[in-house]
């Protein structure tokens, strides 16, 4: 035998062993697979094999010995079987053909089982024909349930809801025949959530259009059904159903975590419908997102604004400017001390908006010098909130759009509140720069689309309840996680005395507006009609005492209703930090305030100081005489009206003065022309005078007298106005009027 033959002869048994092992493994694998496939179909067979004989043996043993007991037991089981069959028939849903068949099958199974059990009381389970009925009937019923399982898994348009309980029963009624609802779970906070998956040929958008029918079927508010699409899979989404309103009783105001926090700390405004805290964090976001607040009158915008302003008024390195021409004091009068600049006059509001571009540029230069691409707490500048109520009545669209576009990088957060953000009330360019939204009640569902993103309104998050649910709404942007955009929120209910006391107690922590911004805003800021309090204007001890007094008058106390100050700790001397229950995360104490100026001594009002009264009278008469002399001097410089028929009656500022008529008997005195420097100084002096008189708006024609006196004409005046505007001394609007930003003769 050759070597190859011998080797093949020896290898044959080994190969056979390997083939046998492979065969056994394959048989074992196939057996395991078949067993796994068969296990789901075994429950009906197990139930048919064990329940009838066990139950039949039990009833026969208990009541089958005596005729009376057997008869009574049989009658009772018969009636019970009929009642149980009726319950099964009633409880089973029958909206689709498959569901109707299942109801018949379930009822038949219960009726057959109870009938066999009733007969087993007297005949026993193992005698003829009871044994035959059990074997044949049980096998047939078990096989029918297996057949239904197989057909249910293979039918493409059979019942599409695999899991979901009550949601599954609504599928056919609401048009979800091709929607699979999975993993329906209650959150324990009044909301049920489930995953959905659409069949090929359908879309989640089509499911979103049925949200109203789902709400009607479940008898919940239209906004209580939210259907969101999965951004990573177009065939999947999530349905959220709010079955209980946890916010109905109101949301209490949440106190700040501490006094003197930085602007980058989250701001608590209220709660979500599932009980979670509703907060925003605009200054910590990678991009500062301006906010649009929209809602009808009575929707709760003012209440939300009070909460926002109060929280920010307790922080360092933050200044608040608020424009409300309609009801400013009515809305925020009790917390006005925390607002650096509260504007209620239309002219003053326009001055601010004209001055903001200069402030933005100045702040940008400082941030660039500090090596910062955008504002952070490391900057020497304060963060700012500029809030405008009904901006359409206050600002020019072009002016406001430029401000919104440039302000975010320099730490100026712009907030605009109005009832409807239509194109006629707010331009689309401005709206594009308002990436944060708080939309409260609106009258028409379409109005919500002016503010909220399409992805939110498409999901069913539309606050179309008008003013019937004040404080409720939806919020997007400003650091809010995107998955929370479609969850209802409600703003906190505020207590006027509590907010006022809180703002007073926080005065020592508030920083005044930084010098860079204040100088850039110029006379508009320096001559503001309202000046809030801060650590440079209010003593710490006085502030704490005033706050405690206000709370005590309201029946409240620190530590319980306002857990910030320790009521047992003694007040510290002026200039020290009041005790705070929660330590400041930044670990920095506010700069001690300067001592407040002593108030002037009160005048004696009993009439005994005659000399003082005489001095006052003499001073008043002298002042009146000086004013009258100045008035006559000024009027003397103004030429009288020309004669209607005179040759010079129609002259303008830019026209040459005609030669006098030799026969007229009159002559013109030639006035010496000022030098360029003198002419400019005369113009600047006039502007400086207006600043000291608090006259900050003017038209070019108002400068004609000083232009004529300087021996100049309109082109020279126009050039000077253009130069002063470029230097930031003046601000020019689209209507041709000017605003004095700085006095040209006083340091900025």
């Amino acid at each position: 035998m050759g070597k190859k033959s011998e080797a093949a002869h020896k290898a044959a048994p080994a190969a056979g062993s390997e083939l046998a092992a492979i065969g056994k493994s394959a048989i074992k694998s196939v057996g395991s697979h078949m067993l796994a496939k068969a296990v789901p179909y075994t429950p009906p067979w197990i139930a048919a094999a064990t329940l009838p004989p066990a139950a039949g043996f039990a009833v026969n043993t208990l009541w089958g010995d005596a005729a009376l007991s057997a008869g009574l037991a049989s009658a009772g089981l018969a009636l019970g079987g009929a009642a149980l069959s009726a319950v099964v028939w009633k409880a089973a849903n029958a909206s689709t053909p498959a569901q109707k068949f299942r109801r018949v099958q379930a009822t038949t199974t219960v009726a057959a089982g109870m009938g066999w059990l009733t007969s087993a009381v007297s005949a026993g389970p193992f005698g003829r024909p009871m044994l035959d009925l059990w074997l044949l009937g049980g096998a047939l019923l078990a096989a029918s349930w297996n057949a239904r399982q197989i057909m249910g898994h293979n039918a493409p348009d059979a019942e599409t809801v695999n899991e979901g309980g009550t949601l599954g029963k609504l599928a056919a009624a609401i048009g979800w025949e091709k929607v699979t609802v999975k993993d329906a779970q209650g959150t324990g906070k009044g909301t049920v959530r489930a995953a959905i998956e659409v069949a090929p040929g359908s879309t989640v958008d089509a499911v979103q259009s049925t949200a109203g029918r789902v709400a009607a079927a479940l008898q919940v508010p239209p906004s209580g059904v939210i259907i969101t699409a999965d951004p990573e899979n177009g065939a999947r989404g999530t349905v959220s159903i709010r079955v209980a309103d946890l916010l109905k009783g109101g949301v209490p105001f949440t106190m700040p975590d501490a006094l003197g926090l930085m602007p980058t700390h989250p701001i608590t405004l209220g709660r979500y419908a599932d009980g979670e805290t509703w907060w925003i964090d605009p200054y910590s976001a990678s991009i500062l997102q301006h906010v649009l607040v929209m809602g009808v009158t009575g929707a709760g915008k003012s209440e939300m604004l009070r909460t926002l302003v109060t929280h920010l008024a307790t922080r360092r390195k933050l200044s608040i400017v608020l424009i409300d021409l309609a009801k400013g004091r009515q809305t925020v009068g009790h917390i006005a001390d925390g607002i650096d600049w509260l504007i209620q006059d239309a002219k003053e509001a326009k001055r601010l908006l004209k001055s903001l571009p200069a402030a933005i540029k100045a702040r940008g230069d400082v941030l660039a010098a500090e090596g910062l691409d955008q504002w952070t707490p490391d900057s020497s500048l304060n963060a700012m909130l500029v809030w405008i109520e009904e901006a359409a009545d206050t600002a020019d669209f072009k002016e406001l759009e430029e401000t919104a576009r440039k302000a975010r990088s320099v730490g100026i957060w712009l907030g605009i509140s109005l009832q409807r953000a239509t194109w006629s009330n707010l331009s689309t360019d401005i709206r594009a720069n308002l990436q944060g939204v708080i939309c409260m009640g609106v009258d028409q569902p379409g109005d919500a689309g002016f503010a909220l993103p399409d992805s939110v309104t498409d999901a069913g998050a539309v606050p179309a309840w008008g003013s019937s649910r004040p404080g409720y709404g939806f919020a997007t942007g400003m650091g809010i996680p995107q998955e929370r955009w479609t969850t209802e929120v409600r703003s906190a209910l505020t207590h006027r005395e509590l907010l006022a006391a809180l703002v007073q107690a926080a005065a020592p922590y508030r920083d005044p507006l930084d010098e860079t911004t204040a100088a850039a805003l110029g006379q508009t800021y320096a001559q503001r009609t309202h000046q809030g309090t801060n650590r440079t204007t209010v003593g710490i001890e006085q502030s704490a005492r005033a706050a405690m007094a206000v709370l005590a008058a309201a029946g409240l106390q620190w530590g319980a209703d306002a857990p910030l100050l320790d009521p047992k700790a003694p007040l510290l001397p002026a200039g020290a930090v009041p005790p705070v229950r929660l330590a400041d995360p930044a670990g920095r104490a506010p700069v001690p305030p300067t001592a407040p100026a002593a108030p002037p001594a009160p005048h004696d009002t009993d009439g005994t100081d005659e000399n003082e009264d005489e001095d006052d009278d003499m001073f008043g008469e002298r002042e009146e005489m000086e004013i009258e002399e100045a008035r006559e001097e000024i009027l003397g410089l103004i030429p009288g009206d020309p004669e209607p028929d005179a040759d010079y009656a129609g002259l303008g500022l830019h026209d040459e003065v005609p030669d006098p008529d030799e026969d007229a008997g009159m002559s013109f005195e030639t006035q010496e022309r000022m030098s360029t420097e003198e002419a400019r100084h005369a113009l600047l002096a006039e502007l400086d005078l207006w600043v000291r008189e608090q006259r900050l708006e003017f038209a070019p024609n108002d400068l004609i007298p000083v232009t004529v006196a300087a021996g100049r004409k309109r082109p020279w005046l126009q050039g000077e106005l253009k130069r002063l505007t470029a230097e930031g001394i003046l601000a020019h609007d689209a209507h041709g009027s000017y605003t004095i930003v700085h006095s040209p003769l006083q340091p900025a």
Side-chain angles (χ1 to χ4, degrees), residues 246-270:
L246 302 182
L247 309 177
K248 191 173 184 179
V251 177
F253 176 79
T254 301
M255 300 294 289
D257 294 335
L259 295 173
L261 294 171
M262 283 295 182
T264 49
H265 192 80
I267 307 165
T268 302
L269 296 181

Side-chain angles (χ1 to χ4, degrees), residues 312-689:
L312 294 181
T314 65
R315 304 191 176 193
R316 295 199 307 269
K317 298 199 73 171
L318 194 145
S319 300
I320 302 172
V321 178
L322 194 150
I323 301 175
D324 190 347
L325 307 183
K327 52 178 184 177
R329 286 285 171 183
Q330 180 182 357
T331 302
V332 295
H334 53 296
I335 54 175
D337 283 346
I339 301 173
D340 189 43
W341 189 1
L342 176 59
I343 300 176
Q344 296 180 267
D345 178 71
K347 290 184 177 180
E348 191 173 9
K350 291 182 178 180
R351 292 175 194 168
L352 164 67
L353 296 176
K354 290 177 183 178
S355 303
L356 274 179
I360 292 172
K361 183 180 183 303
R363 289 170 67 90
D365 294 340
V366 170
L367 291 175
E370 294 174 343
L372 298 173
D373 293 331
Q374 61 181 20
W375 181 90
T376 71
D378 297 329
S379 173
S380 61
L381 304 175
N382 278 16
M384 289 185 67
L385 168 64
V386 178
W387 193 273
I388 307 175
E389 289 285 326
E390 296 299 337
D393 300 333
T394 305
D396 178 80
F397 278 172
K398 182 178 179 181
E399 194 174 65
L400 193 58
E401 189 273 330
E402 181 182 1
T403 299
R405 180 165 41 86
K406 298 180 179 179
R408 56 165 56 95
S409 63
V410 298
I412 298 179
W413 185 30
L414 183 64
I416 292 179
S417 176
L418 70 171
Q419 296 186 27
R420 294 179 75 233
T422 61
W423 65 269
S424 59
N425 289 336
L426 199 68
S427 73
T428 54
D429 291 335
I430 299 174
R431 221 182 310 155
N433 284 282
L434 302 176
Q435 297 175 317
V437 174
I438 300 175
C439 185
M440 295 182 168
V442 295
D443 285 332
Q444 301 296 329
D447 292 348
F450 295 130
L452 292 171
D454 292 341
S455 60
V456 175
T457 54
D458 290 344
V462 179
W465 50 71
S467 60
S468 62
R469 303 175 70 200
Y472 286 85
F474 295 94
T476 67
M478 302 172 289
I480 301 173
Q482 188 166 352
E483 60 269 17
R484 305 295 286 170
W485 290 6
T486 55
T487 304
E488 275 186 19
V489 297
R490 187 175 187 183
S491 61
L493 300 173
T494 60
H495 191 291
R496 297 180 70 88
E497 287 74 13
L498 176 60
L499 298 192
L502 188 57
V503 168
Q504 287 186 357
Y509 296 86
R510 286 193 291 272
D511 292 311
L513 182 62
D514 57 272
E515 294 181 359
T516 298
T517 308
L521 292 175
Q523 296 299 321
T524 303
Y525 181 76
Q527 297 181 5
R528 64 193 188 278
T529 56
H530 167 87
Q531 300 183 18
T533 61
N534 54 58
R535 60 176 172 79
T536 66
T537 59
V538 172
I540 290 178
E541 183 177 10
Q542 294 87 339
S543 176
R545 288 191 185 279
M548 291 183 183
V550 172
L551 283 180
L556 306 173
Q557 61 178 353
W558 289 111
D561 302 285
L564 290 179
L565 300 181
D566 187 352
K568 298 181 180 179
L571 288 174
L572 300 180
V577 181
V580 179
R581 184 175 296 278
L582 297 180
D584 179 33
R588 292 174 45 193
V591 180
T594 57
H603 292 287
D604 189 2
T605 58
D606 59 1
T608 57
D609 194 347
E610 297 180 359
N611 293 331
E612 183 177 353
D613 292 342
E614 291 177 1
D615 292 342
D616 290 342
D617 294 340
M618 292 177 62
F619 176 80
E621 293 177 1
R622 184 167 61 253
E623 183 179 24
E624 291 179 0
M625 292 176 60
E626 291 176 354
I627 293 175
E628 184 63 26
E629 291 176 358
R631 179 176 179 276
E632 292 177 359
E633 182 179 356
I634 293 173
L635 292 177
L637 296 176
I638 301 176
D641 294 335
E643 297 179 7
D645 300 329
D647 295 337
Y648 55 82
L651 291 179
L653 178 64
H654 57 281
D655 298 329
E656 297 289 344
V657 177
D659 295 332
D661 187 356
E662 296 180 357
D663 300 332
M666 65 173 67
S667 62
F668 292 94
E669 180 180 354
T670 304
Q671 187 173 356
E672 184 177 355
R673 179 185 176 92
M674 293 185 183
S675 66
T676 301
E677 300 238 352
E678 291 174 338
R680 285 183 175 175
H681 181 76
L683 177 63
L684 299 183
E686 182 73 7
L687 296 177
D688 179 69
L689 175 64

